[in-house]
Amino acid sequence: MLSGPSGSGKGTVLKELLAKNNNLFLSVSATTRSPREGEVHGKHYYFLSKDEFEARIAGDGMLEYASYCGNYYGTPKDAVYEMLNAGKDVILEIEVQGAMQIKERCPDAVFVFVMPPSMNELKHRLTDRRTEDAETVAKRMQAAVDEIRASYQYDYIVVNDTVSEAANTLDEIIRVQKCSTGHMKEFIDEVLEDE
Amino acid sequence: MLSGPSGSGKGTVLKELLAKNNNLFLSVSATTRSPREGEVHGKHYYFLSKDEFEARIAGDGMLEYASYCGNYYGTPKDAVYEMLNAGKDVILEIEVQGAMQIKERCPDAVFVFVMPPSMNELKHRLTDRRTEDAETVAKRMQAAVDEIRASYQYDYIVVNDTVSEAANTLDEIIRVQKCSTGHMKEFIDEVLEDE
């Protein structure tokens, strides 16, 4: 589970990570909002009707979901488990509330928060985009503070000082999970049975 | 905390790890047994008298200790904390019981268990040494089973298939701990205060 405030550079880090790690699968969210120009069903989002989305919720088919500006957004379970069963590592780029829903439901999930090196640097990054006015930047800064307050509940904090280092660290975090005792339980069982 | 049965190759892996990671400090145990030929105080062991050792226990100066064949063995706190305060990463090569004592007292410690790829391979390694008779090998195998049963309580299991890979994995485990939220708490605090 990868979260981080707007301006943390989480998207860029993720892109670099996906380019270097072929075993990763980036989960595609579902939404009831209309596709924007160029958006492809199954690539950018799964575009579902409200009825379809609510049927999935009712059938316990969503790992997490939220309602935002009158539309549903969420993570369909099936694609995630299909990839996990195929031996892939699945990444969800997800906001804090969704991550906290998953924390309750999937104790094995690993939670990584991408942090800006400082609030000052975050402000620079948000301002340098030049696409947002001062008011939007102020709102994003406030949202970032709220998100960073939630970061204490994550497992790892990756400071995005340089993109390539942050992507390397993420890659190492993924590799190291494979020798966590939770992941290795079956191996220990086998070694002991072998005896 | 690094544990693993005799024949797991833990010592060889540790040697390779120490050669490649300059920030590591290998903790030196204390004992009340007499130095053997060539053993250097402060390098192989801290050789203490029984009174000195018991005074350290009484003064809460041991991270863990045990009595074995009429002698004390243990880890003096002071050197470990001196190195930690100097920014070093400290490794304790420690048997399972000592590790479990530390687990209770140091919630921040990270526990890694070095595993042989299989019991069969372990037996080969113990037999190939040719220094031990069949009875000793059988005893070591039984001891290994007991230790591996305790490995479920460790944080990470590193399978020593090849020494260099196992040493790399250990190195990654150490690096990744630095972005665990426990380690990053002060950084998060600072970022939030900065705002």
Side-chain angles (χ1 to χ4, degrees), chain A residues 111 115-121 141-142 144-146 148-149 151-159 169 172-173 175-182 184-185 187-192 194-195, chain B residues 111 115-121 141-142 144-146 148-149 151-159 169 172-173 175-182 184-185 187-192 194-195:
Chain A
F111 295 83
M115 283 274 270
S118 66
M119 292 310 274
N120 230 339
E121 173 62 23
M141 288 297 288
Q142 186 48 54
V145 170
D146 293 340
I148 293 169
R149 285 211 183 102
S151 73
Y152 293 105
Q153 297 177 69
Y154 282 67
D155 298 310
Y156 297 101
I157 307 294
V158 173
V159 180
T169 303
E172 283 189 335
I173 289 172
R175 269 206 301 279
V176 160
Q177 301 317 307
K178 314 229 180 236
C179 42
S180 69
T181 305
M184 293 297 281
K185 198 192 157 296
F187 176 80
I188 308 174
D189 293 345
E190 276 169 38
V191 168
L192 285 171
D194 177 33
E195 169 264 331
Chain B
F111 296 81
M115 283 276 269
S118 68
M119 292 311 274
N120 229 338
E121 173 62 23
M141 288 297 288
Q142 187 48 54
V145 170
D146 294 340
I148 293 170
R149 284 211 184 101
S151 74
Y152 293 105
Q153 296 176 68
Y154 281 66
D155 297 311
Y156 298 100
I157 308 294
V158 173
V159 181
T169 303
E172 283 188 335
I173 289 171
R175 267 206 300 280
V176 160
Q177 300 319 307
K178 315 230 178 234
C179 43
S180 69
T181 306
M184 293 297 280
K185 201 192 154 296
F187 177 79
I188 308 175
D189 293 345
E190 275 169 38
V191 167
L192 285 171
D194 176 32
E195 168 264 329

Side-chain angles (χ1 to χ4, degrees), chain A residues 52-92:
Chain A
E52 285 170 326
F53 204 110
E54 289 179 342
R56 293 235 190 171
I57 296 172
D60 195 26
M62 298 307 258
L63 269 180
E64 54 80 36
Y65 68 95
S67 183
Y68 178 72
C69 294
N71 284 304
Y72 284 121
Y73 294 80
T75 306
K77 262 187 186 172
D78 48 8
V80 169
Y81 282 99
E82 214 171 275
M83 286 297 148
L84 287 176
N85 292 336
K88 293 270 182 187
D89 299 317
V90 179
I91 288 215
L92 271 63

